[in-house]
Amino acid sequence: MAIYDYEQTGRDGEMEKSELSAACQELEQKAAALEDALRAAEEANQAKSRFLSNMSHDIRTPVNAIVGLTTIGLSHIDEKARVQDCLRKIQTASAHLMSLVNDVLDMSRIDSGRMVLSQEEFSLADLIHDIAVIVRPQAVQKGQDLRLDIRGIDQERLVGDPLRLRQILVNIINNAVKYTQEAGRITVSFRQDPVRTSPQGERTALLRFACQDNGMGMSPEFLERIFLPFERVHTSQVSRIEGTGLGMSIVKNLVDGMGGQITVESREGEGSCFRVELPLPVSAQRHSPLALPAGQTVLVAEILDDLAGQASDCLREEGLVPVRITSGLEAVTWLTEAQVEDRMPCALLLGQNLTDMQSLDVAAHVRQLAGPDFPIVLVSEEDWAQLEYRASRAGVSAFVPCPLFKSRLLATLSGLLDGGRGAAEARGDRAGLETASLPLLVGLILVVLLRYVSRFILRQRAQEFALYLLMGMERRHLAWMFFLEFFLLGCLCLAGGIVLGAGMGCCLLSRSPERGPLLPAIGSAAAETAGYFLAVQLVSLVSTAQLIRRLEIRELTAERASDRSWNLRPGRAW
């Protein structure tokens, strides 16, 4: 019995020890968790303190600039140039201040869970073009080589939040521009995986974005906390660069909210590479296919292999045949031979870079050679607002901005080719109108002259007929003479009417969209015009006969009164 009690007591002691050990381990874990939470809270407080310190300095700088420039502008209000300079600087400072405030507000919304992502249809081509317009001037100012590489984008109409997507991409590219030295290199690429269809029928495309630079890079220690709020590298180089340390934290939260992922690779002193993958639904809207002349040749003038290859791939997919050249002289020579051999291409894609001359000079030569209808499309990274005047004078038909998208390129070509056919038809109509205007003008002049000549002749002949009548000539002779001359004049007027009617008929046919038979319209117009002039001559005949009748009555009255004959002297005027 005693042995049993001893064994039971030993087992109870072991159980108590194990329970105590488990409780101790649990307490240690909780203590470690509390220590980690305390450490994180202290780090967060320190980060917020650093943020407030940096933010106060960052906010004070543009505010002081705005106040000081406003004072300078007011004190020199009569100097227009100086006031305009102050206003431009105030605009820059206020834009920077607004960006700081927006970062703080965005982070506040994310922390409180009030960040809502919209779902709306947008164009990926328009989005990337807007991003290029925003970031390119900063890269140009620092002399950096910023390249945008777009490949395999089949679905451009997507559904998502374009404002937040633009914010993600602009923040990453802006960081690359800011933390890359002058004359550095930045490459931004966009790719798209094939569309996947879910069991519910939803079509989704995975957008892949990468931004690689050869800037100052980041240390492995900082890479672990790069996505934490208010974190920045504390070096002498970075301290001179404006920033709040919120950009990458906002980007991380937005990417997570869109169901994507972001990764970063960097080596200090060598550069960094950010990669973002975002699944975006494809728009259900279908667009009608473009009408392009399959099998036709398109001349591509560009020395950059990437841009020329991308444009050629887009053309081949639509059944067109691209022919690449690299110089302006080669382009002019090729088009000259093609014009002689009657194998002109349907369009010319003119790149920004050629080996021997400027693109606009090539456009001017090609326009002079190929005529006003030949489509010349300028593909360039420059701002169209700055190029439009010179490009239009050089003969450029349309402009497609880089980065190059298939939809924009093909839509521009389709519009130019359809418009070229319409312009050719319009010029044919104008040529027909000009051709018809010559006989119309001749007919009008002839009819007017014949009208006045006939009236003058009829008046003179009427006086002579009255004279002959008074001299005793038989009336039937006078009638035959009168009708013979009337017939000749009527034939002349009829000829003029036919010419006039032909011109009118050609004009009507050239303007009519439904070109009917030529002869009926001309015959109808000529018959109406000739009938009009015959009616006018008939009226002249009646008036002349009445004049002869009045003269005859006057002569008989004079004979009865004087009972003597007329004695006409030569040269007497009637």
Side-chain angles (χ1 to χ4, degrees):
M1 185 70 180
I3 296 174
Y4 175 78
D5 292 340
Y6 177 77
E7 291 178 355
Q8 183 69 28
T9 303
R11 284 194 294 270
D12 292 341
E14 291 177 358
M15 291 178 61
E16 290 178 357
K17 287 182 180 180
S18 62
E19 291 176 357
L20 289 174
S21 176
C24 289
Q25 291 179 358
E26 183 177 358
L27 289 175
E28 290 177 356
Q29 292 176 358
K30 290 182 177 179
L34 290 174
E35 288 179 358
D36 293 339
L38 178 61
R39 189 181 304 108
E42 290 176 350
E43 291 179 355
N45 287 331
Q46 293 176 359
K48 289 182 179 179
S49 299
R50 290 194 301 269
F51 164 74
L52 292 176
S53 176
N54 295 333
M55 181 62 70
S56 62
H57 176 267
D58 290 340
I59 291 179
R60 190 183 300 115
T61 300
V63 169
N64 289 337
I66 292 172
V67 173
L69 291 170
T70 303
T71 304
I72 294 174
L74 290 175
S75 60
H76 299 83
I77 194 66
D78 295 331
E79 301 179 18
K80 183 178 179 180
R82 192 161 187 176
V83 172
Q84 288 179 345
D85 181 64
C86 291
L87 290 176
R88 283 192 293 267
K89 293 178 180 178
I90 289 174
Q91 186 178 15
T92 303
S94 59
H96 174 62
L97 181 61
M98 180 61 70
S99 67
L100 297 177
V101 174
N102 287 335
D103 286 345
V104 175
L105 293 178
D106 287 341
M107 200 64 210
S108 175
R109 293 192 190 97
I110 292 173
D111 288 339
S112 61
R114 293 184 290 110
M115 177 67 72
V116 179
L117 299 176
S118 64
Q119 294 294 317
E120 60 183 87
E121 183 179 345
F122 67 93
S123 171
L124 185 61
D126 294 339
L127 179 69
I128 296 179
H129 176 69
D130 294 342
I131 293 172
V133 171
I134 294 172
V135 301
R136 193 176 297 280
Q138 304 174 18
V140 172
Q141 187 176 4
K142 295 183 67 174
Q144 297 170 342
D145 182 15
L146 176 61
R147 296 186 179 183
L148 276 73
D149 182 21
I150 300 175
R151 297 278 181 150
I153 304 295
D154 295 328
Q155 302 295 330
E156 298 181 13
R157 304 297 301 182
L158 304 174
V159 178
D161 192 333
L163 178 63
R164 298 304 177 184
L165 182 56
R166 182 186 299 112
Q167 184 177 2
I168 292 172
L169 303 181
V170 168
N171 275 342
I172 294 176
I173 300 175
N174 270 341
N175 281 345
V177 174
K178 287 194 299 184
Y179 297 107
T180 300
Q181 68 278 6
E182 295 184 359
R185 184 180 66 258
I186 303 171
T187 303
V188 179
S189 63
F190 292 88
R191 300 290 186 271
Q192 192 179 72
D193 287 357
V195 177
R196 297 181 180 179
T197 304
S198 65
Q200 293 78 18
E202 297 180 355
R203 303 170 67 241
T204 304
L206 184 64
L207 178 65
R208 299 180 182 272
F209 163 80
C211 179
Q212 185 173 3
D213 63 74
N214 62 345
M216 59 183 64
M218 294 172 284
S219 63
E221 294 79 11
F222 182 75
L223 285 178
E224 297 178 358
R225 60 180 193 274
I226 184 175
F227 297 119
L228 296 178
F230 317 115
E231 288 292 339
R232 296 190 68 190
V233 177
H234 300 287
T235 62
S236 58
Q237 292 180 335
V238 176
S239 61
R240 295 193 298 267
I241 301 174
E242 296 179 348
T244 60
L246 292 176
M248 296 312 301
S249 178
I250 294 173
V251 166
K252 173 65 174 175
N253 285 276
L254 290 177
V255 170
D256 293 341
M258 292 181 180
Q261 60 179 359
I262 180 172
T263 58
V264 57
E265 299 175 359
S266 181
R267 289 186 178 181
E268 198 167 6
E270 296 183 6
S272 305
C273 180
F274 287 82
R275 291 185 174 87
V276 177
E277 296 181 359
L278 293 172
L280 297 173
V282 178
S283 173
Q285 184 179 357
R286 295 290 185 271
H287 298 278
S288 58
L290 299 174
L292 292 172
Q296 292 289 327
T297 303
V298 177
L299 199 60
V300 181
E302 176 62 56
I303 62 173
L304 296 179
D305 295 335
D306 294 339
L307 183 57
Q310 185 180 359
S312 300
D313 293 341
C314 294
L315 296 174
R316 288 192 190 95
E317 292 174 2
E318 294 299 319
L320 298 172
V321 181
V323 176
R324 183 189 174 188
I325 55 177
T326 57
S327 67
L329 179 60
E330 188 178 357
V332 175
T333 304
W334 197 96
L335 288 172
T336 303
E337 295 176 354
Q339 194 172 32
V340 173
E341 299 173 1
D342 195 16
R343 52 179 180 86
M344 285 290 289
C346 64
L348 168 65
L349 295 187
L350 189 58
Q352 184 179 356
N353 302 287
L354 296 175
T355 56
D356 54 353
M357 64 178 72
Q358 297 293 329
S359 299
L360 296 184
D361 296 337
V362 178
H365 289 298
V366 172
R367 176 61 64 212
Q368 185 177 5
L369 172 66
D373 292 338
F374 186 69
I376 301 176
V377 181
L378 180 63
V379 181
S380 174
E381 296 180 350
E382 297 187 19
D383 188 8
W384 175 242
Q386 300 178 1
L387 282 176
E388 184 174 6
Y389 177 74
R390 292 183 290 123
S392 300
R393 289 181 61 87
V396 173
S397 306
F399 174 77
V400 177
C402 287
L404 185 63
F405 275 87
K406 177 181 176 181
S407 61
R408 287 189 172 184
L409 177 61
L410 298 181
T412 302
L413 282 177
S414 177
L416 285 176
L417 295 177
D418 291 341
R421 286 190 289 267
E425 293 179 359
R427 267 191 301 277
D429 293 345
R430 288 196 299 268
L433 183 61
E434 293 171 358
T435 305
S437 63
L438 180 60
L440 176 63
L441 180 61
V442 173
L444 285 175
I445 295 175
L446 181 60
V447 166
V448 171
L449 290 177
L450 288 175
R451 176 67 187 135
Y452 281 102
V453 170
S454 63
R455 291 180 63 183
F456 175 76
I457 293 176
L458 285 174
R459 287 179 181 176
Q460 296 296 325
R461 297 303 292 167
Q463 294 178 4
E464 293 179 5
F465 291 156
L467 178 59
Y468 293 154
L469 181 62
L470 294 177
M471 293 175 64
M473 184 176 290
E474 295 183 4
R475 291 183 181 178
R476 60 188 182 88
H477 294 159
L478 290 175
W480 279 110
M481 291 177 60
F482 182 79
F483 279 110
L484 180 60
E485 293 192 5
F486 168 74
F487 177 75
L488 295 176
L489 291 175
C491 290
L492 292 176
C493 291
L494 179 62
I498 291 175
V499 175
L500 176 63
M504 292 176 61
C506 292
C507 291
L508 293 175
L509 288 175
S510 65
R511 293 184 178 181
S512 175
E514 301 176 356
R515 289 171 168 77
L518 182 65
L519 187 58
I522 296 179
S524 175
E528 293 176 1
T529 309
Y532 165 74
F533 285 104
L534 288 175
V536 172
Q537 295 299 329
L538 182 59
V539 172
S540 300
L541 170 63
V542 174
S543 61
T544 305
Q546 291 177 354
L547 175 61
I548 295 173
R549 180 62 178 171
R550 285 197 299 268
L551 290 174
E552 181 182 2
I553 294 173
R554 186 182 301 175
E555 183 266 339
L556 292 175
T557 304
E559 281 186 356
R560 292 175 183 178
S562 59
D563 194 19
R564 63 184 180 84
S565 300
W566 287 77
N567 184 18
L568 298 177
R569 293 186 297 271
R572 183 172 180 178
W574 285 83

